[in-house]
Amino acid sequence: MKILIIGGGMGGTILANNLARRLSAELRAGKARITMLSASDKHLYQPGLLYLAIGRTTPDALYRDQASLLEPGIEFHVDPVEEFKLDNNQVKAKSGKTYDYDVLVIATGSRMVAEEVKGLAENAEFFYTEETALKMMRRLQEFQGGKVVITVGVPHKCPMAPLEITFMLHDYFKERGLGDKVQLHYTYPINRVHSLENVAKWAGPEFGRLGITSETFFNIKEVDGAKRILRSEEGSEVQYDLLIAIPAHRGMEVIEKNGLGQNGWIPTNKTKLNMEGRTNVFVIGDTTNIPISKAGSTAHFEAETLGENIAAMIKMGMNTPVRDYDGKVFCFIEAGLDRATYAMFNYQNPPDPKAPTRAMHWFKMAYNKLYWASARGLL
Amino acid sequence: MAEKKIIDGRGSFCPGPLMELIGVLKMSQIGDELEVLSNDKGSAKDIPEWVRKVGHEYVSTTEEDGVWHITVRKTK
């Protein structure tokens, strides 16, 4: 049985390691084979970019060699896929090589598309890549006061990021003695400050307590860099001195080019995780079109479910999943530079976040290191 | 040619039915009709409110077995 995993991000890596452990006997006996194709030989801990943007970590702390994270027995190639031939159970990669599979898992992730909004890429700061996070960090260091606007596009990766960067910036400027000279203003696409109602019920009053102003029902239309004005689809506009954006995202270009899903999101069964219309193609992480958070923890829990199901296919000949993905997501929420809370939810149960604590912040700090154990499938 | 699309937002606490609608509307054509399914009754209020504010057309809302079907049309 040939298992081919496309993508070496969080979901693909956890799944590959999970399967390698479950199928160690089958791998040794040559009855199973796990191959991973990735676009990079490096693995980036993406949540760490938030800390890089405010100068709390360095780029080297966020990377590991991808091969070093993988269990022995997993064949790893830096050879990004260019063509999916699903009817032939094959993919063709950049090297020109064709890879066959019995089971295919697509975990190619997502990318920000700030350039799709007029003026946004040129005039806003971002923290979704190493390059943009470093640029934002330098811009923040130079900033001596004024109105900082944090604005949010749809859909975006990491639903807590807008709140986290806002709370962290509040503490960052306060630490620098600029608390009285900086006005933080937050815009959000729907009619509350976060999509999760219980998170919004906590964050809204917290904004008030910290003097952070907000405007809801605000979807980014365009940015006028010369006048430093941000305009919304709803017809309002906001003046800024420093603009920080959580831009809209799309799935990867290769998904769109191959016609697997509009905007790079592949139609996926929300509990079985198979691509709609295919029984041997599965999708995890940001790449799915499941109406759920595009977050590392989503990919993590999906990968664990899928690992169990694929192993059952191989070990017991199951042709239906033994376990459903229940929509589980766990997100830390940094509420400043020294306190945090969390939200845990699934398809049936909304989250009920508690008051932020220092202990939860330190747990998050610890998780930033423990992540590498998580990627190895140990945690 | 205008299409009719279904957005199944049932069980979606985050990003939620309205955020899903906003994302899908962006990639739809003018004239497309979108029907959002939601088991959150708040959607029946929030979606029409946003659609009117942003200037798209609110078509209808029905409820069946605890699922709200909210239909809108992209107009710009």
Side-chain angles (χ1 to χ4, degrees):
Chain A
M1 178 80 85
K2 293 178 192 168
I3 303 160
L4 182 59
I5 299 170
I6 312 300
M10 190 170 192
T13 304
I14 290 175
L15 175 67
N17 286 324
N18 182 302
L19 280 170
R21 287 206 176 79
R22 289 180 188 276
L23 299 173
S24 58
E26 288 80 1
L27 288 171
R28 281 196 304 274
K31 291 179 181 170
R33 189 172 167 181
I34 303 170
T35 304
M36 171 182 281
L37 304 181
S38 179
S40 172
D41 64 345
K42 294 284 188 291
H43 186 110
L44 168 64
Y45 174 54
Q46 296 181 52
L49 294 169
L50 185 65
Y51 301 89
L52 183 61
I54 56 159
R56 290 291 170 122
T57 190
T58 53
D60 57 316
L62 307 181
Y63 288 97
R64 295 285 187 278
D65 289 335
Q66 177 65 17
S68 75
L69 298 174
L70 297 174
E71 284 286 301
I74 298 169
E75 295 172 33
F76 173 61
H77 304 284
V78 179
D79 199 3
V81 169
E82 294 190 335
E83 197 178 342
F84 289 87
K85 301 176 179 180
L86 301 186
D87 291 336
N88 299 331
N89 290 347
Q90 289 178 326
V91 301
K92 189 176 176 188
K94 191 176 180 182
S95 66
K97 190 174 173 188
T98 294
Y99 296 84
D100 298 323
Y101 63 83
D102 297 299
V103 173
L104 177 69
V105 181
I106 305 175
T108 43
S110 63
R111 64 201 161 104
M112 65 170 185
V113 286
E115 65 279 7
E116 291 184 358
V117 173
K118 186 183 169 191
L120 188 65
E122 307 89 302
N123 295 297
E125 302 299 331
F126 313 97
F127 51 87
Y128 278 90
T129 64
E130 179 191 335
E131 184 190 1
T132 57
L134 283 170
K135 180 171 169 284
M136 177 169 156
M137 187 261 289
R138 292 188 186 104
R139 182 84 172 87
L140 286 174
Q141 281 184 331
E142 291 163 2
F143 194 70
Q144 294 301 319
K147 186 169 183 177
V148 179
V149 174
I150 300 104
T151 193
V152 182
V154 179
H156 61 264
K157 177 156 48 185
C158 190
M160 299 308 172
L163 289 178
E164 290 187 297
I165 193 64
T166 304
F167 287 128
M168 290 165 88
L169 284 173
H170 172 271
D171 284 11
Y172 168 87
F173 286 121
K174 194 175 166 189
E175 272 191 2
R176 283 184 53 200
L178 296 172
D180 294 339
K181 294 179 179 169
V182 172
Q183 170 61 46
L184 292 174
H185 184 76
Y186 174 96
T187 78
Y188 202 69
I190 64 170
N191 57 340
R192 52 182 183 248
V193 298
H194 195 265
S195 55
L196 288 163
E197 191 170 0
N198 286 343
V199 171
K201 279 181 183 168
W202 158 72
E206 193 70 356
F207 275 4
R209 188 178 71 80
L210 299 173
I212 300 166
T213 55
S214 63
E215 179 175 348
T216 54
F217 273 155
F218 190 104
N219 285 278
I220 312 167
K221 181 182 182 186
E222 61 183 16
V223 181
D224 182 337
K227 293 180 180 169
R228 292 185 178 171
I229 290 174
L230 171 68
R231 296 193 179 91
S232 77
E233 293 284 355
E234 290 78 2
S236 60
E237 56 182 48
V238 178
Q239 189 85 38
Y240 67 84
D241 296 301
L242 173 58
L243 180 61
I244 291 168
I246 288 81
H249 281 63
R250 281 181 184 239
M252 303 312 273
E253 224 170 344
V254 67
I255 304 299
E256 287 187 77
K257 278 185 177 169
N258 279 266
L260 300 186
Q262 195 174 12
N263 275 20
W265 315 124
I266 300 178
T268 306
N269 184 290
K270 67 197 272 187
T271 56
K272 314 297 181 197
L273 303 174
N274 61 294
M275 179 178 174
E276 296 289 359
R278 303 271 170 183
T279 54
N280 69 335
V281 180
F282 298 89
V283 192
I284 55 173
D286 293 356
T287 317
T288 77
N289 75 336
I290 301 173
I292 195 171
S293 308
K294 296 202 179 294
S297 91
T298 308
H300 182 151
F301 295 122
E302 288 173 344
E304 288 187 346
T305 304
L306 189 55
E308 200 170 330
N309 287 335
I310 292 175
M313 283 166 70
I314 292 169
K315 285 177 180 288
M316 300 187 287
M318 301 296 292
N319 53 19
T320 54
V322 292
R323 187 178 152 201
D324 280 350
Y325 173 60
D326 65 357
K328 184 178 176 185
V329 179
F330 178 100
C331 293
F332 287 102
I333 313 172
E334 289 282 23
L337 293 177
D338 64 357
R339 59 202 179 279
T341 181
Y342 68 93
M344 187 164 72
F345 52 99
N346 61 23
Y347 292 140
Q348 304 298 327
N349 303 294
D352 183 19
K354 307 293 184 243
T357 63
R358 283 173 187 261
M360 190 53 66
H361 167 71
W362 287 109
F363 184 19
K364 170 69 191 214
M365 291 295 100
Y367 183 78
N368 287 343
K369 307 291 182 193
L370 288 169
Y371 170 74
W372 303 110
S374 199
R376 290 183 173 97
L378 298 170
L379 181 68
Chain B
M1 189 173 161
E3 284 182 66
K4 175 148 189 176
K5 300 176 182 173
I6 306 281
I7 302 168
D8 189 352
R10 288 175 292 182
S12 175
F13 293 112
C14 183
L18 176 52
M19 291 274 262
E20 285 293 325
L21 170 66
I22 293 170
V24 176
L25 259 172
K26 275 168 51 177
M27 58 184 180
S28 299
Q29 304 296 316
I30 290 172
D32 283 356
E33 205 168 272
L34 288 83
E35 181 181 341
V36 184
L37 311 187
S38 173
N39 50 3
D40 172 13
K41 67 179 177 187
S43 299
K45 174 180 167 289
D46 298 346
I47 291 177
E49 186 182 347
W50 177 74
V51 167
R52 289 189 181 110
K53 187 173 172 73
V54 81
H56 295 299
E57 183 186 345
Y58 165 65
V59 178
S60 64
T61 299
T62 57
E63 189 256 324
E64 196 177 329
D65 299 329
V67 178
W68 279 263
H69 299 245
I70 305 131
T71 304
V72 308
R73 187 175 294 118
K74 180 165 175 161
T75 57
K76 63 177 191 176

